[in-house]
Amino acid sequence: MIRVEALWLSVVPLDMRAGMDTLLAQVVQVFGEARPHHAYLFANRRGTRLKVLVDDGQGIWLACRRLNQGRFRWATGNNSLTLSQAQFDALVLGLP
């Protein structure tokens, strides 16, 4: 299991063609730096796709999720939000 101590959500829409290097550059631009055991979440403009970049302390993991129905929704604001573990689980694992 990958240990994640902090979760961050970028509210700036992302082009889902972006790969790991582009996402890592976005993390540095939005959050200042990529920190070990932190997860960074990005969504597309329509809110139907989500990418999660996780730094496990030894490397970077990239995971993707696509919704078949519905959308991810969150308020706009500054460029990032902090998520609780329950909020992260609801986004990544989905709600029944």
Side-chain angles (χ1 to χ4, degrees):
M1 177 131 184
I2 300 171
R3 184 180 83 198
V4 176
E5 296 173 354
L7 307 159
W8 302 87
L9 170 67
S10 174
V11 297
V12 176
L14 180 74
D15 181 351
M16 285 294 121
R17 295 174 292 179
M20 190 175 302
D21 294 330
T22 302
L23 286 176
L24 194 53
Q26 184 73 15
V27 166
V28 171
Q29 180 182 1
V30 172
F31 302 103
E33 65 179 331
R35 297 182 182 143
H37 308 291
H38 285 215
Y40 304 92
L41 288 81
F42 300 90
N44 64 344
R45 186 172 307 282
R46 292 182 7 194
T48 57
R49 294 176 187 237
L50 183 73
K51 283 195 174 183
V52 181
L53 190 75
V54 179
D55 184 337
D56 69 359
Q58 296 186 14
I60 303 290
W61 291 85
L62 178 61
C64 304
R65 180 168 181 109
R66 180 181 68 197
L67 295 178
N68 294 325
Q69 297 178 359
R71 299 174 184 266
F72 296 110
R73 296 179 193 258
W74 42 80
T76 58
N78 56 9
N79 292 337
S80 65
L81 300 171
T82 303
L83 298 178
S84 69
Q85 185 67 44
Q87 291 168 322
F88 175 77
D89 291 344
L91 277 173
V92 175
L93 301 175
L95 298 174

